[in-house]
Amino acid sequence: MDYLAKMKEDYDPLVPDLKLDYTKVELYLDLRKRKKDEVLKDASSIEICSRYICEGFIGLFYDSEKGPVLSEIFQATDVAFDFQSYLKGEKTQNYIKCLSDVVYYELSKKSEMTLIQNYPEFAKLGLKINHRLLQRLQLRSRIKVMGITKGYREFVEFMPGVEIHLSQSKIASYFSCSERTVREIQHALKLGKI
C-alpha cells in the first residue's frame, strides 16, 4: 500500500491553497509496523516523536491503584503521542501502547523542526494538523463525558472496529465504569436497544 499517497490524500484538503511535495516529507518520516500490545513509549520517559497512524489503533495509558487506565484512543489518520511530554519535553507517567497491529509514520521532534526550517510551506500544514488534532480530542472527550450508557453507540461509530481490539476492562477504564456495565451496554447494542 502507498501510505504516503494516503497521507497526502488525507492532508491536502486541510491546506487546499498549497501544493505540497510530500516526497520532501518522506525524507524525515520512518514507516513502522508494530504488533498489538507493543509499547511505543514507556512510562517515565520523554516523548520525542509523533506518530501518524496509517492503520490500526493506539492507546495512551497511565497506571492507577486499580490498574491501567486507557485515557486516549487514536485511530487511522490521527496523530498519536503523549501531548504533555512532547510539548514540555518532560517525563510523564503516561505510556503509549498498540491496541491492535499498527502501521504508522514516525516523525521525531528534531526532524519536524528541520523539516519546517528547510520547507517552511509545511508550517501551515502543521498548524492545520494541530487544529484537527484538538477538534478530535474534543470530540472524543465529549463522547467519554456522555458516559458509556449514552456514549457507547457514538464511540463505536466514531471509531469503527475499535471494540474488536479492546477488552471489556479497557473499555471500562476508558469510560470509568465497571466491566459489568460494559457487558450490559454491549449486549443492549447487539439487541438494538440503544
Side-chain angles (χ1 to χ4, degrees):
M1 178 173 286
D2 188 348
Y3 293 114
L4 194 67
K6 285 285 212 184
M7 178 192 267
K8 177 176 168 44
E9 186 181 301
D10 177 38
Y11 280 160
D12 274 353
L14 298 179
V15 284
D17 53 323
L18 292 179
K19 296 291 179 236
L20 298 173
D21 181 358
Y22 285 80
T23 57
K24 294 174 182 174
V25 178
E26 193 172 23
L27 302 171
Y28 300 91
L29 297 172
D30 293 311
L31 186 65
R32 309 262 191 227
K33 295 180 181 183
R34 297 289 183 258
K35 294 289 185 189
K36 182 175 181 168
D37 293 327
E38 277 192 61
V39 174
L40 305 179
K41 179 211 173 264
D42 291 316
S44 299
S45 67
I46 297 173
E47 182 67 277
I48 57 168
C49 66
S50 60
R51 302 159 192 89
Y52 174 84
I53 305 173
C54 302
E55 294 178 10
F57 297 93
I58 292 176
L60 179 71
F61 292 82
Y62 66 88
D63 287 327
S64 73
E65 291 176 6
K66 295 179 182 178
V69 175
L70 176 57
S71 61
E72 284 294 337
I73 301 170
F74 306 98
Q75 64 182 334
T77 74
D78 281 336
V79 178
F81 59 105
D82 178 351
F83 312 104
Q84 189 180 354
S85 178
Y86 188 84
L87 295 174
K88 294 181 178 178
E90 297 173 355
K91 293 180 181 180
T92 66
Q93 292 304 309
N94 297 329
Y95 56 98
I96 295 177
K97 193 173 173 180
C98 299
L99 299 172
S100 67
D101 289 354
V102 179
V103 179
Y104 63 92
Y105 277 117
E106 188 173 275
L107 178 64
S108 73
K109 199 171 187 178
K110 185 179 177 183
S111 292
E112 183 180 355
M113 298 303 171
T114 307
L115 172 67
I116 301 290
Q117 277 181 330
N118 293 340
Y119 307 103
E121 64 270 26
F122 283 97
K124 187 172 182 182
L125 175 62
L127 291 172
K128 294 290 188 179
I129 292 168
N130 283 336
H131 181 69
R132 184 173 80 172
L133 189 143
L134 292 172
Q135 286 179 317
R136 289 181 178 181
L137 175 64
Q138 185 179 20
L139 181 55
R140 289 192 305 266
S141 296
R142 184 184 61 76
I143 292 170
K144 262 172 87 168
V145 168
M146 290 168 70
I148 193 163
T149 306
K150 293 181 180 174
Y152 189 72
R153 174 184 284 283
E154 198 169 334
F155 169 71
V156 296
E157 287 171 357
F158 181 63
M159 295 190 187
V162 72
E163 74 280 3
I164 297 164
H165 303 287
L166 296 178
S167 64
Q168 290 176 339
S169 66
K170 282 190 177 77
I171 295 170
S173 76
Y174 185 73
F175 279 102
S176 300
C177 66
S178 68
E179 289 181 49
R180 180 180 174 192
T181 303
V182 174
R183 283 191 295 276
E184 288 169 357
I185 293 300
Q186 287 178 331
H187 184 67
L189 184 62
K190 281 181 187 172
L191 297 176
K193 293 184 177 179
I194 60 167

